[in-house]
Structures are given as C-alpha cells and as structure tokens.
Amino acid sequence: MMDKGTEERNYIMRNDMFQATEIPYAYRRVFQQLSGLSIIRIENNIGHKPIFQNRFVTHQKISHNVNVIETTTSQKLAHEIMGRNFFGIKDGVKHFGIIPSEHQLDLVAEIKYSESRLERCQDTHYLVAVPLLSVLGIHNKVEHRLFFSSECSTFDNELFASNSGDIYSWQLLRKTEVAGSLGMIFTEQQKLLHEDEEIPSARVVVYSIISNFLKTGERLFEKIFVRTSDSCDLGCDNHVCVGLFDAGGLCIECIPDNDDKPDIGLASCIIS
C-alpha cells in the first residue's frame, strides 16, 4: 500500500520500430501525434534512423516536509539576488521529493559564486542546486508529460542517461543559448565560450529546465536545442542535445557535431 500523499501514474505505451528519412526537428511531434508512438532519432553518417521504443512506467511523486532543512545565510543572499531564477535545496525537496543527506547539505551550504557575479547574472542565468540525479532519475520523479512521450525510456542503455554526477553542487546556467551559437557546428560553437564558461552536462540542463518550469511555469529552450557536454554511445561524433520544451514535452536528442541546423545552439554555465 502506498504512503499517504503518494500519487501513482501508470503509462502503457506501444513497442514498435520505424525507420525513415530525415524528419525536421520541429515536425517530429506532428508525426508522433498522428502515429501515437514515441520517437528518438539517432543519427549517424548513413542517415536518420528514428527508433520508437516505449515501456510500462510507474511514476511515484512523494511529498516531504521541507521545514527540517535550514537555509544558510549564503543561500538566502543568493535567493534575494536571483529572485525567481533561484532553485534551492528546499525547492528540490518540494518538487522532486529529494531528501539530501547531512553531508550533501554541507556541500551546498555555501554558494561559491560571488555576490557581484550573481548580480551580473540575475536576469540571464538560473542558479540551481543540482542533486545526484541522472536524466532517467529526473524523468522518473516528475510527471512524464513533461518529457516528450516518455522518450527517456529509449536512453536506458546510454551512459549519459544513468550518470548521477559526482557531487551535489550549485550550477549557474545561462537561460538562453550561447550568443551566436545557433546554426554552427560543435567545434565552432565551443570557440564562443568565455574563459569563465563551460558546457554543462545533459543532466544539469535537464534538471534546470524541468525545475524552473515546476517552480515558475517558464519554459527554457522552448523552440531550440542546446548541445551539452555529454556524448552518445555511438560510433561517430554525437553530443546530447536538449530542448524544444513546448507543450509536447522536453526533447532529448543525439545529434551529430557537424549538424549546423539553425535551431541547434550551445548550452553554457558559469564556472564557480
């Protein structure tokens, strides 16, 4: 029997496989809505091979009491500066049911970004406490409608999807793509990064997008993809791209590094 306050949602999908020629990113959902299938496109040098694969998924969302977690002076100051662009430890408990250990709380007690840095980034960046949670873990902790047709199930065997990270940490993610990075291949996009910037992992970007939406209703990267630092387990150069977060849900794609379509930018975060 489930504990009080636990909600269970079951999703039963079809299993199928389909191969087709190139499907433009913006039109993938139209195809999915007509077919009733989930689609994940894995590209290689030969062409585009959409693979449809879904499975039975049970989702549990558990409510926890956040009052036992103390907000430090550093966190309070950062919250005051960042305003709605702040997602802290208590927010993670409330929206994801994540209860950090005492050791993890110690790791994020102090925010290493300076006050002046946060003031410069308060409108352009999103300050988020990212827990030890993988892309698949994030997917399993929220309503699956937030992801495009529960397509994360197709990433079960990808290393990036099961990577939970090494440490509970604060991340300062740019809320838009790196300026000028749209429509460029990956090597050219990297040249646009400043010295104090790095490319975030897929799990950081996914957690930031979903957490921001749950707290504010704002959709980051609603009409574009952004490349992350993670690579796909394929035989050619492909980086994990995240985005197109419209009403159809968040998309996660493995896209070749030499793809210069106009809706593919680069994600970035500030190095602490």
Side-chain angles (χ1 to χ4, degrees), residues 115-146:
E115 184 176 343
S116 60
R117 163 63 76 184
L118 294 179
E119 289 174 343
R120 293 197 301 271
C121 296
Q122 61 183 340
D123 297 321
T124 59
H125 288 68
Y126 180 64
L127 181 61
V128 54
V130 181
L132 298 177
L133 194 62
S134 67
V135 171
L136 291 174
I138 298 168
H139 176 259
N140 289 333
K141 282 186 174 292
V142 299
E143 293 186 24
H144 291 183
R145 65 178 177 82
L146 297 180

Side-chain angles (χ1 to χ4, degrees), residues 16 20 34 41 49 51 70 76 103 111 129 134 137 142 166 173 188 190 214 220-221 230 235 248 253 262 272:
D16 206 346
L34 292 175
R41 191 188 61 199
K49 296 183 178 181
I51 298 179
E70 180 181 354
K76 290 178 181 178
H103 173 65
I111 296 176
S134 67
V142 299
D166 299 321
L173 179 82
E188 294 300 317
Q190 289 178 288
L214 291 175
L220 301 180
F221 309 116
D230 285 308
E253 300 276 357
S272 61

Side-chain angles (χ1 to χ4, degrees), residues 11-194:
Y11 294 81
I12 301 177
M13 299 290 185
R14 295 173 53 187
N15 291 321
D16 206 346
M17 179 172 288
F18 180 82
Q19 294 186 355
T21 55
E22 179 178 358
I23 300 175
Y25 302 133
Y27 301 118
R28 293 169 67 253
R29 278 200 193 96
V30 175
F31 181 87
Q32 189 274 336
Q33 290 168 356
L34 292 175
S35 65
L37 299 173
S38 173
I39 177 173
I40 169 61
R41 191 188 61 199
I42 299 178
E43 303 178 70
N44 54 32
N45 293 330
I46 299 176
H48 305 266
K49 296 183 178 181
I51 298 179
F52 302 87
Q53 185 179 7
N54 284 296
R55 59 188 174 87
F56 174 83
V57 181
T58 299
H59 172 61
Q60 294 185 332
K61 184 177 181 181
I62 306 175
S63 298
H64 293 284
N65 190 340
V66 301
N67 295 328
V68 296
I69 297 177
E70 180 181 354
T71 301
T72 65
T73 301
S74 175
Q75 294 166 7
K76 290 178 181 178
L77 177 60
H79 193 181
E80 290 176 1
I81 295 173
M82 298 303 293
R84 64 184 272 124
N85 289 327
F86 177 91
F87 194 90
I89 294 87
K90 288 187 176 182
D91 294 314
V93 176
K94 176 181 178 181
H95 294 286
F96 291 89
I98 299 171
I99 302 297
S101 65
E102 290 187 9
H103 173 65
Q104 290 172 338
L105 288 175
D106 289 340
L107 293 175
V108 290
E110 299 300 316
I111 296 176
K112 297 182 179 180
Y113 299 104
S114 67
E115 184 176 343
S116 60
R117 163 63 76 184
L118 294 179
E119 289 174 343
R120 293 197 301 271
C121 296
Q122 61 183 340
D123 297 321
T124 59
H125 288 68
Y126 180 64
L127 181 61
V128 54
V130 181
L132 298 177
L133 194 62
S134 67
V135 171
L136 291 174
I138 298 168
H139 176 259
N140 289 333
K141 282 186 174 292
V142 299
E143 293 186 24
H144 291 183
R145 65 178 177 82
L146 297 180
F147 286 82
F148 177 52
S149 243
S150 301
E151 69 177 16
C152 277
S153 62
T154 63
F155 287 125
D156 280 349
N157 296 321
E158 293 278 354
L159 293 178
F160 82 85
S162 58
N163 177 20
S164 298
D166 299 321
I167 190 173
Y168 202 152
S169 63
W170 290 97
Q171 299 291 331
L172 193 55
L173 179 82
R174 178 176 288 278
K175 295 175 66 177
T176 58
E177 77 283 355
V178 171
S181 65
L182 289 174
M184 301 179 71
I185 62 175
F186 181 59
T187 54
E188 294 300 317
Q189 290 176 331
Q190 289 178 288
K191 298 177 183 178
L192 300 176
L193 291 171
H194 296 150

Side-chain angles (χ1 to χ4, degrees), residues 190-208:
Q190 289 178 288
K191 298 177 183 178
L192 300 176
L193 291 171
H194 296 150
E195 291 183 357
D196 61 348
E197 291 180 311
E198 63 183 0
I199 306 172
S201 65
R203 75 180 191 90
V204 168
V205 178
V206 170
Y207 188 80
S208 298

